[in-house]
């Protein structure tokens, strides 16, 4: 099971490292590259066509065409992560990533939604991997338990 992460620039790494960490926590193999839809379109093409990953996560800011371009080269699922960038705070990236024309889908996450991109990729992989599915259930249970601990702590501080 492998997920490929493509970033439009190394400047996206600060956001995208949480996707790598999350996938590694689920023992999902990660292939990482920097390739830009605009600056290095041939590299994007070659990477996507040669990758044996089951799912692609594409992260880009500004005129963020990367996820759509990746999706044009593959029928594997593509998850888009719009990156927050100046001067439009990621709204430009969000709309560029999410507003795909019919026929070429991109599953677009929230602006800077790197962690959810990794979780969503894991959920797709878990459809064919029972161990991974169990890990996702444990992850949800642990998250719920942590919220209960925080709730009790907050109530303790208020009383
Ligand atoms: C996009 O342009 C990249 O994904 C990045 O978010 C943004 C700015 O890139 P740099 O100028 O920092 O390389 O293609």
């Amino acid at each position: 099971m492998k997920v490929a992460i493509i970033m439009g620039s190394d400047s996206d790494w600060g956001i995208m490292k949480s996707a790598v960490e999350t996938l590694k926590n689920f023992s999902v193999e990660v292939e990482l590259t920097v390739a830009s839809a605009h600056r290095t379109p041939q590299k994007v093409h070659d990477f996507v066509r040669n990758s044996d990953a089951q799912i692609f996560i594409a992260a880009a800011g500004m005129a963020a065409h990367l996820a759509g371009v990746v999706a044009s080269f593959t029928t594997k699922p593509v998850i888009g992560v719009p990156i927050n960038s100046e001067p439009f705070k990621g709204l430009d990236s969000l709309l560029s990533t999410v507003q795909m024309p019919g026929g070429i889908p991109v599953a677009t996450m929230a602006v800077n939604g790197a962690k959810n991109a990794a979780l969503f990729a894991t959920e797709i992989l878990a459809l064919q991997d029972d161990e991974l599915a169990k890990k996702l259930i444990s992850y949800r249970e642990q998250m719920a338990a942590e919220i209960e601990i925080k709730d009790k702590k907050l109530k303790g501080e208020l009383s």
Side-chain angles (χ1 to χ4, degrees), residues 19-20 34 43 47 51 53 56 72 107 114 124-125 127 141 147:
V20 176
V34 174
K43 183 178 178 185
F47 178 82
S51 173
F56 292 93
S72 77
I124 296 170
L125 295 175
L127 291 171
E141 288 171 349
I147 287 171

Side-chain angles (χ1 to χ4, degrees), residues 6-12 34-39 59-66 81-85 93:
I6 311 176
M7 301 182 297
S9 168
D10 63 334
S11 65
D12 302 323
V34 174
S36 162
H38 308 115
R39 293 166 174 160
M62 306 178 83
H65 301 124
L66 183 61
V81 181
I83 299 292
N84 180 12
S85 46
S93 324

Side-chain angles (χ1 to χ4, degrees), residues 2-159:
K2 191 194 280 187
V3 173
I5 298 179
I6 311 176
M7 301 182 297
S9 168
D10 63 334
S11 65
D12 302 323
W13 173 241
I15 298 299
M16 290 312 294
K17 65 183 170 195
S18 73
V20 176
E21 285 162 8
T22 302
L23 288 165
K24 291 204 165 163
N25 283 342
F26 283 95
S27 301
V28 173
E29 193 181 344
V30 180
E31 186 181 15
L32 183 71
T33 194
V34 174
S36 162
H38 308 115
R39 293 166 174 160
T40 62
Q42 189 64 46
K43 183 178 178 185
V44 174
H45 170 273
D46 294 349
F47 178 82
V48 174
R49 284 292 166 89
N50 294 324
S51 173
D52 61 354
Q54 280 84 22
I55 301 172
F56 292 93
I57 295 174
M62 306 178 83
H65 301 124
L66 183 61
V69 169
V70 169
S72 77
F73 294 136
T74 182
T75 54
K76 295 172 185 172
V78 176
I79 302 169
V81 181
I83 299 292
N84 180 12
S85 46
E86 294 296 331
F88 296 111
K89 314 285 185 199
L91 184 59
D92 44 357
S93 324
L94 174 63
L95 295 178
S96 305
T97 305
V98 78
Q99 289 289 57
M100 287 298 293
I104 307 291
V106 168
T108 304
M109 301 292 110
V111 173
N112 291 351
K115 185 175 176 181
N116 272 1
L119 289 170
F120 192 56
T122 305
E123 288 175 359
I124 296 170
L125 295 175
L127 291 171
Q128 293 185 329
D129 185 326
D130 290 345
E131 281 306 305
L132 209 46
K134 281 181 197 155
K135 283 184 192 173
L136 280 164
I137 291 168
S138 299
Y139 174 83
R140 293 272 180 108
E141 288 171 349
Q142 192 184 333
M143 194 164 50
E146 282 167 12
I147 287 171
E148 283 311 301
I149 291 167
K150 287 173 189 167
D151 185 44
K152 285 197 180 80
K153 187 167 177 264
L154 187 63
K155 283 172 179 154
E157 282 171 17
L158 290 175
S159 61

